[in-house]
Amino acid sequence: MAFSLHGVHVPHRKNTANSSAVYVDPPKTVTIPMSMHIGAPAKPCVKVGDLVKVGTLIAQAGGTVSVPMHASVSGKVVKIADYLTSAGSTVPAIVIESDGEMIPDESLTPPVVDSKDSLIEAIKNAGVVGLGGAGFPTHVKLNVDPARIEQLVINCAECEPYVTSDTYTMLTRTEDMKTAIEAFKTYMGIKHIVIGIESNKKAAIKSMMQLMKDTCQGCKVDVKVLPAKYPQGGEKVLIYHTTGKVVPTGKLPIDVGCVVLNCTTLAAIGSYLATGMPLVKKCVTVDGGAVKNPQNVIVPVGMSMADVFEACGGLTCEPSKVIYGGPMMGVTVPDTSAPIMKNTNAILALTAKETKLPATTPCIRCGSCTNTCPFGLAPAEIAKAYDRKDAVKLEELSLNTCMECGCCSFVCPANRPLVQTNKLAKAFLREQKAKEGNK
Ligand code: SF4
Ligand code: SF4
């Protein structure tokens, strides 16, 4: 796998970078799906009619790779019903009617942490998942032999257009991050912390440099200011650009001695360690041409997109596309009743003008897709192999290395749907493997 400094210069559109995040009024209801993470869905432990407060446990982790869920508003459980996620699976969701008071659960206290195991347990109990987008349970990622961790890499890249919620974290939540870093140093023996941040975030760079100064005792710290080039925040890309290490295909960051945590994930851990309040609210960037007042807002997990847009002055026109996350790797939602998830860092309501693409034309074999792919993949060849349903060739072309960043589609002069084809090809390969496994 050939790593490169390629990637693309996407228009930043960080319209909300300088707006401080505002708390919105609690919505009438929140809908909390039991799966907002990679892994087994959580199992509800409340019933309809139960009264809950902010932070009350409402669902237990559904297995080793899973996290618990907590009430994000105070009020009453009014429904537990199936919910169709944007990934197409059906999971139970707990609907809570808010009493409008946002009363915290008084039984919550900071966890007792005195060892690596109790730290990992605390992170699990906090319900923390990767908040940079992936939603992988953080306690699972961290539950490794600490001797294997050479670097803790903090992902502050925030390379997607529009999204600025991590910038809010970097500017205002350094105390929470400091609490988490001190715990990692004490109980996991972290000796080297590397921060990867794009050069276009001047104030955030200053803030993170100060944080590193404050936490450097007994620990090597590096703040790596990186070119503002998408997809700088991709886990493997960031590891390469901050440490020089290459994570081989099929391997994990820990296999090269790295653990990567997004800065907002780190802050969520620190907040729980300091207060005992689990992950129940999110700072979300609300933007796109159809939003009346684009801004960063702090909302309870489970608030509907429609309510969040309303809190931002509403929509000025029927959006052509509504997405969770940024425009490069975000997921389109069918309607705005979809709730804010734990790992939602932005919601965008884009106009027809913003989403209009020129017609697709035949490939002109210019090579731009390969030249911009951070892994040096050959998307045009992958597309041909997928057309032929050639599973062997798709494996040879390292299809599964593709992180679905969309750089290839972005640069293609023929507007070929390359990343979309890669997603279909990956699903095809999974099907083939399942068939082989059943033989
Ligand atoms: S960038 Fe587009 S036109 Fe150029 S080789 Fe790749 S698929 Fe073909
Ligand atoms: S979507 Fe995949 S193939 Fe295309 S540039 Fe990104 S990693 Fe490379």
Side-chain angles (χ1 to χ4, degrees):
M1 178 172 51
F3 262 94
S4 73
L5 283 168
H6 294 150
V8 289
H9 289 289
V10 290
H12 295 300
R13 298 189 182 145
K14 304 266 188 189
N15 312 314
T16 54
N18 297 321
S19 70
S20 59
V22 291
Y23 279 85
V24 304
D25 290 338
K28 286 199 174 77
T29 61
V30 291
T31 300
I32 303 185
M34 295 298 97
S35 188
M36 299 191 245
H37 53 268
I38 292 171
K43 293 181 179 155
C45 58
V46 288
K47 55 186 185 323
V48 170
D50 282 357
L51 297 178
V52 294
K53 293 181 179 169
V54 179
T56 302
L57 180 74
I58 56 171
Q60 306 272 8
T64 314
V65 183
S66 183
V67 288
M69 302 291 172
H70 304 85
S72 58
V73 294
S74 53
K76 188 159 79 171
V77 175
V78 292
K79 195 158 87 170
I80 302 176
D82 279 351
Y83 172 78
L84 181 65
T85 69
S86 54
S89 56
T90 303
V91 293
I94 297 174
V95 181
I96 303 169
E97 194 175 80
S98 170
D99 59 13
E101 302 289 332
M102 298 298 278
I103 302 165
D105 189 324
E106 60 280 350
S107 69
L108 300 175
T109 52
V112 176
V113 172
D114 53 11
S115 63
K116 178 219 160 192
D117 287 347
S118 55
L119 175 61
I120 299 293
E121 186 63 17
I123 294 168
K124 180 179 181 180
N125 292 339
V128 176
V129 300
L131 302 180
F136 188 73
T138 304
H139 68 280
V140 179
K141 187 187 247 191
L142 286 165
N143 200 8
V144 293
D145 176 359
R148 293 180 71 199
I149 306 176
E150 291 164 15
Q151 281 105 6
L152 171 64
V153 180
I154 304 176
N155 190 345
C156 300
E158 199 168 55
C159 55
E160 274 266 8
Y162 292 97
V163 188
T164 63
S165 49
D166 279 351
T167 299
Y168 164 80
T169 296
M170 289 185 266
L171 293 177
T172 66
R173 298 189 66 193
T174 48
E175 271 310 305
D176 285 335
M177 285 191 268
K178 189 176 166 193
T179 303
I181 287 172
E182 293 300 345
F184 287 133
K185 280 165 58 181
T186 307
Y187 301 113
M188 295 192 71
I190 298 293
K191 292 275 185 298
H192 188 185
I193 299 171
V194 189
I195 286 187
I197 185 166
E198 284 193 335
S199 58
N200 58 349
K201 300 175 182 67
K202 302 281 181 248
I205 291 169
K206 216 168 141 196
S207 173
M208 297 313 282
M209 282 184 161
Q210 185 59 48
L211 172 69
M212 288 297 97
K213 226 172 162 182
D214 295 344
T215 54
C216 66
Q217 211 175 5
C219 182
K220 186 179 170 202
V221 294
D222 286 314
V223 178
K224 298 271 184 187
V225 179
L226 307 167
K229 214 169 181 191
Y230 179 85
Q232 196 66 265
E235 200 168 63
K236 292 182 177 181
V237 177
L238 190 73
I239 288 171
Y240 178 68
H241 290 162
T242 53
T243 70
K245 293 175 176 178
V246 173
V247 183
T249 299
K251 296 286 182 188
L252 296 170
I254 191 62
D255 294 318
V256 295
C258 293
V259 166
V260 183
L261 290 182
N262 164 271
C263 59
T264 303
T265 309
L266 193 69
I269 294 169
S271 169
Y272 181 73
L273 295 178
T275 66
M277 179 57 75
L279 178 60
V280 292
K281 64 181 182 206
K282 276 307 301 286
C283 174
V284 176
T285 299
V286 187
D287 206 343
V291 178
K292 188 162 181 208
N293 302 318
Q295 59 191 299
N296 281 333
V297 289
I298 297 171
V299 300
V301 168
M303 184 167 174
S304 74
M305 280 181 161
D307 285 343
V308 179
F309 286 133
E310 209 44 50
C312 297
L315 299 175
T316 53
C317 61
E318 186 63 31
S320 143
K321 221 180 214 184
V322 176
I323 51 182
Y324 277 132
M328 298 298 285
M329 289 187 77
V331 178
T332 306
V333 293
D335 70 75
T336 56
S337 65
I340 299 298
M341 304 285 198
K342 287 182 179 182
N343 61 342
T344 304
N345 54 12
I347 56 171
L348 306 181
L350 303 171
T351 60
K353 196 173 161 202
E354 286 173 299
T355 54
K356 191 166 187 283
L357 290 172
T360 298
T361 52
C363 170
I364 56 168
R365 302 175 64 80
C366 64
S368 299
C369 47
T370 296
N371 290 339
T372 52
C373 175
F375 305 115
L377 301 180
E381 295 306 311
I382 290 173
K384 279 192 222 160
Y386 174 62
D387 282 348
R388 296 192 306 271
K389 299 291 179 286
D390 185 343
V392 175
K393 188 70 185 172
L394 287 171
E395 295 268 20
E396 266 175 40
L397 291 166
S398 299
L399 170 65
N400 282 323
T401 301
C402 171
M403 60 175 279
E404 300 173 14
C405 65
C407 289
C408 48
S409 297
F410 183 80
V411 296
C412 177
N415 302 301
R416 312 227 29 106
L418 299 168
V419 64
Q420 295 85 345
T421 305
N422 285 7
K423 288 179 188 177
L424 292 170
K426 281 183 179 182
F428 165 70
L429 267 192
R430 280 196 297 274
E431 267 169 37
Q432 293 301 108
K433 288 219 169 104
K435 274 184 200 159
E436 281 164 26
N438 290 337
K439 274 182 193 166

